Amino acid sequence: MNNSNMTDILEQYIIGLFNEASEDHIIIKRSNVAQKFDCVPSQLNYVIKTRFTPEHGFIIESKRGGGGFIRITKITLHANKDYIDYLIETVENEIVEIDEAIRLAKILLDKEYIDKFDYNHFIDSIEIVTAVHNQFLDCIDENSAEEMINQTKANIKDLTIRFLTNIKYNKRG
């Protein structure tokens, strides 16, 4: 069985556990799930890190070791707190890396908050911001390069917040 099939199977298994759960969280043991599906625990880690993120509506708590477990909690947004508001608040409180911004846009596309045009426009904007900064990195000293990298991250964060804000005010209905 190839990895993408196993990834999908593990995701469906976890979703199934949520469907059967009476709580807003589930607790699984890495070793038990790996044994059940005859896979390595790192495959389970991959599924959780890519498909059960806060952007997807989940919080992960993990305890390693012999008695280790993974608790996956479904985030329940209050009726007056929109998903986009949640994302804006999350982005405002984090350093945003390029790949995180792109991943966030992909999730918004998959959840149909944006269309392919908006997705491509955002990705192009991220690439332009990054390209402008990267072309100078080799030409400047280490301290200036570090400042420029930090400024790029700040610009990507600002761009992501503006993008989310535009989605928020353009999404009606």
Side-chain angles (χ1 to χ4, degrees):
M1 183 174 299
N2 69 34
N3 281 346
S4 66
N5 287 345
M6 181 55 69
T7 300
D8 292 340
I9 289 167
L10 291 169
E11 178 185 22
Q12 289 308 310
Y13 172 72
I14 293 170
I15 289 170
L17 292 176
F18 267 107
N19 292 339
E20 296 169 10
S22 58
E23 305 274 332
D24 65 350
H25 69 275
I26 59 169
I27 297 174
I28 56 177
K29 287 190 68 124
R30 262 184 211 89
S31 56
N32 292 357
V33 175
Q35 187 175 10
K36 178 181 177 91
F37 290 98
D38 192 28
C39 67
V40 293
S42 61
Q43 283 180 296
L44 178 60
N45 290 344
Y46 173 79
V47 170
I48 290 169
K49 286 181 182 174
T50 59
R51 302 195 182 181
F52 293 91
T53 64
E55 293 85 359
H56 285 102
F58 298 93
I59 296 173
I60 304 301
E61 299 168 69
S62 180
K63 181 179 178 242
R64 298 200 180 270
F69 64 87
I70 301 170
R71 177 196 298 258
I72 305 172
T73 304
K74 191 180 284 188
I75 299 169
T76 306
L77 298 176
H78 303 293
N80 62 350
K81 188 164 189 176
D82 188 41
Y83 178 67
I84 299 296
D85 288 330
Y86 167 77
L87 292 178
I88 291 169
E89 186 178 301
T90 301
V91 169
E92 284 175 339
N93 295 320
E94 291 182 5
I95 295 172
V96 179
E97 302 284 344
I98 296 162
D99 56 340
E100 291 172 295
I102 292 171
R103 184 171 49 89
L104 179 62
K106 177 75 171 102
I107 291 167
L108 290 168
L109 177 63
D110 292 345
K111 289 184 176 268
E112 298 179 356
Y113 276 84
I114 60 173
D115 59 23
K116 191 71 172 165
F117 176 83
D118 293 330
Y119 172 80
N120 288 335
H121 185 72
F122 179 71
I123 299 303
D124 289 346
S125 300
I126 292 284
E127 289 174 354
I128 290 168
V129 167
T130 305
V132 167
H133 288 273
N134 286 345
Q135 79 183 54
F136 296 107
L137 284 179
D138 293 335
C139 306
I140 57 178
D141 65 83
E142 198 172 303
N143 287 339
S144 297
E146 189 174 327
E147 279 183 45
M148 188 167 280
I149 289 168
N150 290 335
Q151 186 59 53
T152 299
K153 289 178 183 178
N155 289 347
I156 290 171
K157 178 179 187 170
D158 183 53
L159 184 63
T160 303
I161 290 169
R162 288 175 185 220
F163 179 65
L164 290 168
T165 303
N166 284 335
I167 292 168
K168 176 182 174 179
Y169 290 109
N170 288 326
K171 186 178 186 328
R172 297 286 179 227

